[in-house]
Amino acid sequence: KAGVTQTPRYLIKTRGQQVTLSCSPISGHRSVSWYQQTPGQGLQFLFEYFSETQRNKGNFPGRFSGRQFSNSRSEMNVSTLELGDSALYLCASSTGTSGGGLQYFGAGTRLSVL
Amino acid sequence: AQTVTQSQPEMSVQEAETVTLSCTYDTSESNYYLFWYKQPPSRQMILVIRQEAYKQQNATENRFSVNFQKAAKSFSLKISDSQLGDTAMYFCAFLVRNAGNNRKLIWGLGTSLAVNP
C-alpha cells in the first residue's frame, strides 16, 4: 500500500505570493490533517479534513486554507505569503473514524519565503 | 490548556547503550492516546510507539518501550541497545478531542537524540 505523498518537496516563493501544497493520503483513508513545523514553534496543527469537510482547525490566520476532494486528496493554500510562513508543512492521513487517532505522515513540503 | 513538555532538547548515547527520553503532558481527560514519533534527517515522521491511557500495561515495540505514569502525567520513552539509525528528533504527542468530538495531535518541541559509534 502506497504511503502518504506530498508534492512538491521544496518550494521557494517571495513575500506576497500565494502557494498551494498537495497531499495524497493512504488509499482508503478519509482524513487528512495538516501541520506546520518550525524550529521555534515546533509542530502546530493547521486543520483536518474528513470526507471533503473541514472538521477541525487550529489557530492560524485566514490566509491559510485548505480543501479536500472526493478522492480524499487534499490541498493547502497560503495566500499573501509572509517571511514567517517559511516552514516544513506536513500532512498526515488516517481513517478518521477509529484506530485511536493513528496518523501516517508524508515527507513534507519545505516552503521558503524570501 | 492541553500541553506536552519535553524537557531535554538534546541527548546523546553510545551505540548499544540505553537511553530514556522524558515527556510530561497536561490534560483533564481520562481517556486519551499518547505517541512517540521520530523524525530522522529525511524529515519523514515515523510512529515509534502508542499508548492508550486506559491500559495500565506499558507499550513495547521491540527495542522501544514506555514508562507510562498516568497519575503523574508522565510518558517516557526508553530505547534499548541504541543503534546509529536511531539518531533522530523524537517527538512526544498527545491526542486531544475538541468540543465537536474531533481529534488533533498536540506536540512537544522534541528531543534531538544522537547515537554515537
Side-chain angles (χ1 to χ4, degrees):
Chain A
K1 197 182 253 191
V4 180
T5 303
Q6 288 189 249
T7 57
R9 291 294 306 276
Y10 301 91
L11 268 177
I12 299 176
K13 294 287 186 179
T14 56
R15 279 184 302 173
Q17 287 186 312
Q18 77 166 23
V19 66
T20 299
L21 283 54
S22 178
C23 174
S24 294
I26 292 171
S27 177
H29 284 189
R30 294 162 62 191
S31 169
V32 173
S33 296
W34 289 89
Y35 297 87
Q36 181 195 65
Q37 185 178 15
T38 59
Q41 298 294 319
L43 284 116
Q44 303 285 315
F45 173 76
L46 281 154
F47 31 65
E48 180 201 8
Y49 284 86
F50 178 78
S51 292
E52 301 180 63
T53 301
Q54 185 185 89
R55 69 174 183 179
N56 205 0
K57 65 176 296 188
N59 298 320
F60 278 81
R63 299 185 297 106
F64 292 82
S65 63
R67 59 178 175 169
Q68 188 178 34
F69 302 95
S70 58
N71 62 357
S72 293
R73 188 178 72 86
S74 176
E75 288 183 345
M76 189 191 88
N77 183 273
V78 188
S79 62
T80 319
L81 283 166
E82 300 178 358
L83 296 178
D85 296 333
S86 294
L88 178 67
Y89 290 89
L90 294 168
C91 84
S93 83
S94 69
T95 62
T97 56
S98 62
L102 207 50
Q103 297 189 2
Y104 299 86
F105 285 81
T109 294
R110 172 76 66 187
L111 173 64
S112 298
V113 182
L114 307 178
Chain B
Q2 317 269 15
T3 58
V4 177
T5 302
Q6 293 180 250
S7 58
Q8 307 148 313
E10 296 181 357
M11 295 189 72
S12 64
V13 64
Q14 292 299 121
E15 198 175 3
E17 293 187 345
T18 296
V19 64
T20 299
L21 281 56
S22 301
C23 173
T24 58
Y25 59 94
D26 187 24
T27 181
S28 57
E29 296 188 26
S30 59
N31 192 20
Y32 46 87
Y33 296 88
L34 292 156
F35 304 85
W36 278 97
Y37 280 90
K38 67 180 275 190
Q39 187 179 40
S42 67
R43 303 177 341 200
Q44 184 84 46
M45 194 71 77
I46 302 165
L47 177 69
V48 175
I49 202 163
R50 178 180 68 162
Q51 175 77 43
E52 299 174 69
Y54 67 88
K55 289 187 177 179
Q56 292 187 339
Q57 186 174 7
N58 290 324
T60 299
E61 287 289 342
N62 301 314
R63 298 181 295 107
F64 299 88
S65 62
V66 298
N67 183 4
F68 175 47
Q69 302 290 328
K70 190 172 184 177
K73 295 180 182 176
S74 171
F75 182 61
S76 61
L77 175 69
K78 185 172 82 171
I79 305 174
S80 304
D81 186 26
S82 296
Q83 301 176 359
L84 296 177
D86 295 334
T87 292
M89 196 76 170
Y90 286 80
F91 293 95
C92 179
F94 165 67
L95 187 72
V96 301
R97 191 181 294 117
N98 70 6
N101 204 36
N102 294 313
R103 301 173 172 186
K104 65 179 180 181
L105 283 168
I106 304 297
W107 299 80
L109 292 179
T111 295
S112 178
L113 176 66
V115 180
N116 302 313

